[in-house]
């Protein structure tokens, strides 16, 4: 079986993609064991969902009264504060799992790096520019810009597969949670 796969033209790239898929399932399994099945995660998630729906409803309802506007603003601020606190608690609950997942990813990356050191695992259909070419050609001999290193292919696969797997399994962060992205929205009241 191994000799059949090694003689196949795309064996290296398929191996990297397959290992990336297995790693994504392993990391999500670890996350499920350490986070998603716990009652504290489930209660925090439902709190965030309820608060974000309540906030959305409060912002869409239009009150024309002047005295009601101040009380409405205070209620919105209270719900936003509650939502931020719950999101912060959810992020803190994910730290332990994040450390274990990072360790697994570092080990797998090191293993793949030793297996495919100096080997082009794929050919890009274009010549990337600047910074992207430095990433895609990292550790490869020669000057062919269309050669793709294992690190670049594994990076692209890991990001896309794990994100889509989280959405498919229902483990993606709640939609209304503030600060769930890499760059959270700034608070307009502070500025």
């Amino acid at each position: 079986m191994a000799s059949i796969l090694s003689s196949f033209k795309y064996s290296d790239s398929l191996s990297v993609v397959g290992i990336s898929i297995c790693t994504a399932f392993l990391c999500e399994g670890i996350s499920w064991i350490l986070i998603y099945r716990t009652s504290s995660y489930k209660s925090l998630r439902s709190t965030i969902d309820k608060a974000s729906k309540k906030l959305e409803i409060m912002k869409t309802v239009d009150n024309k009264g002047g005295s009601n506007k101040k009380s409405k603003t205070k209620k919105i601020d209270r719900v936003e504060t509650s939502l931020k606190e719950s999101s912060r608690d959810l992020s803190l609950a994910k730290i332990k799992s994040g450390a274990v997942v990072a360790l697994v990813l570092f080990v797998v990356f090191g293993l793949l790096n030793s297996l495919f050191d100096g080997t082009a695992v794929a050919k890009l259909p274009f010549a990337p520019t600047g910074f992207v070419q430095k990433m895609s050609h990292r550790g490869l001999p020669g000057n062919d810009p269309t050669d793709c290193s294992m690190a670049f292919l594994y990076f692209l696969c890991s990001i896309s597969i794990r994100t889509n797997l989280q959405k498919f399994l229902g483990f993606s962060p709640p939609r209304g949670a503030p600060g769930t992205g890499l760059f959270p929205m700034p608070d307009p009241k502070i500025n």
Side-chain angles (χ1 to χ4, degrees), residues 18 24 28 30 38 50 60 66 88 90 97 103 106 115 128 151 162:
E28 288 309 307
I30 291 170
T38 63
K50 288 176 187 174
T60 57
R88 183 193 46 151
L90 187 64
S97 171
L103 180 68
F106 282 132
L115 288 174
R162 186 146 187 252

Side-chain angles (χ1 to χ4, degrees), residues 86-144:
S86 296
S87 296
R88 183 193 46 151
D89 293 343
L90 187 64
S91 296
L92 290 174
K94 289 184 175 186
I95 287 177
K96 179 174 59 170
S97 171
V100 174
V101 166
L103 180 68
V104 168
L105 291 175
F106 282 132
V107 168
V108 170
F109 184 80
L111 175 71
L112 284 174
N113 210 17
S114 66
L115 288 174
F116 297 106
D117 188 32
T119 306
V121 295
K123 278 283 205 194
L124 299 174
F126 58 90
T129 59
F131 179 67
V132 176
Q133 183 176 355
K134 288 179 183 177
M135 289 189 318
S136 69
H137 205 267
R138 179 183 166 267
L140 296 179
N143 295 327
D144 187 2

Side-chain angles (χ1 to χ4, degrees), residues 142-156:
N143 295 327
D144 187 2
T146 61
D147 284 346
C148 180
S149 68
M150 177 283 306
F152 188 66
L153 182 61
Y154 182 71
F155 173 72
L156 291 177

